Amino acid sequence: MQIVRRMESASSNLYKEKAIRGFCHLYSGQEAICVGIKAALRPQDSVITAYRDHGWAYVMGCSVVGIMAELTGRAQGVARGKGGSMHMYTKNFYGGNGIVGAQVPVGAGVALANKYLENGGINVALYGDGAANQGQLFEAYNMAKLMNLPSVFICENNGYGMGTSIDRAAASTNYYTRGNYVPGIWIDGMDVLSVREAIKYCVDYCTSGKGPLVLEVATYRYHGHSMSDPGTSYRTRDEIQEVRQTRDPIMLFKEHIVGADLVTADELKKIDSEVRKEVDEAVKIAKSDKEIAVQELAADVYSNPLESSIRGTTPFDPYTHQRLSKITNLH
């Protein structure tokens, strides 16, 4: 969780320096979700999420350097700098998706592939409370239940869809009940252990042939919806500060493990120092690494290209398809 928190703080600073351009959505405050879920997943399980994906990319296997360099559009980025903040991928991690709610039916499709291939894996598809009213979510629930797919649909309820509070956006804010014919569970998303135990249950449930589940994970984001949103026009600074002081997931976990004599304060300080050093070094690389050549823009577009020519900005300046990276998640 400390790595994710530190990465997001560094991302905020890089964005303000204009080293990161375009969209950038930070995960600070929600770290217990990705860490807790990953702790319960097995090698054959997969994840797909929305655009707030930096922490997810890290816990699923991307390096800090790969993530920070991707954010700045550099060659050492996980997608060679071509994906940016919202589009990061690695084994069993299907991204980062920029269209609100669109990842959920894709996640159901990944679960269908798991069932078809009989690999025993489940798929975890995450979306925000702002996406919870999308019609395509309910279509995905229906298809998943019809075929009893090993799908776990998770609403990360951070209280606000962009700048709109859940009470102003949803007739029912009990998102875990939205599945109707699909069982639902509410989870404290600020407690990493609660998240882990809930996902362990989901793995057992979905792999026993009972079909999908809908989860609501109650959490909070410290930053605005994106870096273009100061996050204080629709909520007070006091509200944010109260959550930081009373419900912060890192603080709560520290209290648990120190209180149980599992770790000392000095050991935690050492971890903090190592995390700071790792992220700082990654930031230096992300700022100094080279950008890819223009000719590489069309590389790795297709897994099996039928034509080698790819149209450029006009029909008169085409690119030639190249295979430079190893294909990830090819079934």
Side-chain angles (χ1 to χ4, degrees):
M1 287 192 287
Q2 280 286 44
I3 284 277
V4 177
R5 178 71 59 86
R6 180 64 61 172
M7 279 199 313
E8 297 298 57
S9 295
S11 300
S12 176
N13 293 333
L14 287 170
Y15 195 93
K16 292 170 184 175
E17 296 170 12
K18 297 185 178 181
I20 297 174
R21 299 297 186 112
F23 295 103
C24 185
H25 306 81
L26 303 182
Y27 209 54
S28 300
Q30 301 183 212
E31 299 91 347
I33 300 174
C34 63
V35 174
I37 291 176
K38 182 61 174 76
L41 295 182
R42 305 157 303 157
Q44 66 267 44
D45 299 326
S46 58
V47 172
I48 188 167
T49 190
Y51 34 74
R52 208 177 300 279
D53 66 338
H54 310 159
W56 272 108
Y58 176 72
V59 300
M60 293 301 289
C62 296
S63 68
V64 177
V65 170
I67 294 167
M68 300 310 297
E70 188 61 36
L71 288 168
T72 57
R74 306 303 173 119
Q76 290 191 52
V78 295
R80 302 283 291 166
K82 295 185 291 183
S85 172
M86 298 191 291
H87 305 289
M88 301 184 187
Y89 311 91
T90 189
K91 181 176 173 57
N92 287 336
F93 180 55
Y94 292 83
N97 294 268
I99 305 300
V100 175
Q103 70 278 6
V104 177
V106 176
V110 175
L112 174 60
N114 290 340
K115 186 171 183 177
Y116 181 80
L117 295 170
E118 298 181 345
N119 60 19
I122 71 165
N123 176 263
V124 175
L126 299 109
Y127 55 95
D129 52 273
N133 298 316
Q134 288 268 328
Q136 57 188 327
L137 270 69
F138 297 92
E139 295 174 24
Y141 296 165
N142 183 56
M143 295 289 285
K145 184 56 184 174
L146 275 173
M147 294 183 278
N148 275 338
L149 301 180
S151 291
V152 181
F153 302 110
I154 300 182
C155 176
E156 294 182 274
N157 179 8
N158 60 28
Y160 298 92
M162 297 187 72
T164 304
S165 68
I166 57 173
D167 294 322
R168 293 177 57 219
S172 170
T173 57
N174 295 321
Y175 296 104
Y176 68 98
T177 67
R178 292 286 190 92
N180 190 7
Y181 40 78
V182 178
I185 305 172
W186 184 94
I187 305 167
D188 180 359
M190 306 301 266
D191 184 345
V192 66
L193 299 179
S194 294
V195 175
R196 184 192 66 181
E197 294 308 304
I199 300 304
K200 284 183 178 179
Y201 173 83
C202 292
V203 170
D204 291 340
Y205 183 95
C206 292
T207 54
S208 65
K210 296 177 181 177
L213 288 166
V214 174
L215 274 57
E216 176 186 347
V217 183
T219 185
Y220 197 84
R221 58 169 163 82
Y222 296 150
H223 294 275
H225 170 71
S226 68
M227 284 300 296
S228 61
D229 167 25
T232 53
S233 60
Y234 49 87
R235 57 183 182 174
T236 64
R237 295 184 186 275
D238 289 341
E239 176 184 313
I240 302 169
Q241 195 61 29
E242 181 184 1
V243 176
R244 282 185 178 273
Q245 293 174 352
T246 61
R247 295 175 53 210
D248 182 78
I250 296 176
M251 176 195 73
L252 292 176
F253 186 61
K254 280 183 178 180
E255 291 177 354
H256 285 323
I257 58 179
V258 171
D261 292 327
L262 296 174
V263 68
T264 65
D266 288 340
E267 288 173 324
L268 290 176
K269 287 180 181 178
K270 182 180 179 183
I271 292 173
D272 292 345
S273 177
E274 292 171 349
V275 166
R276 186 179 299 109
K277 180 181 179 182
E278 182 177 0
V279 174
D280 287 349
E281 289 176 354
V283 168
K284 290 179 183 177
I285 295 172
K287 295 171 74 171
S288 61
D289 191 31
K290 66 179 181 179
E291 297 179 356
I292 61 172
V294 173
Q295 292 78 13
E296 195 184 322
L297 289 176
D300 302 317
V301 173
Y302 299 112
S303 63
N304 182 27
L306 301 179
E307 297 179 358
S308 61
S309 180
I310 294 180
R311 189 185 191 278
T313 53
T314 75
F316 309 107
D317 55 353
Y319 296 101
T320 300
H321 188 273
Q322 307 173 64
R323 170 60 44 72
L324 300 178
S325 303
K326 183 180 178 181
I327 299 176
T328 304
N329 297 324
L330 180 66
H331 289 303

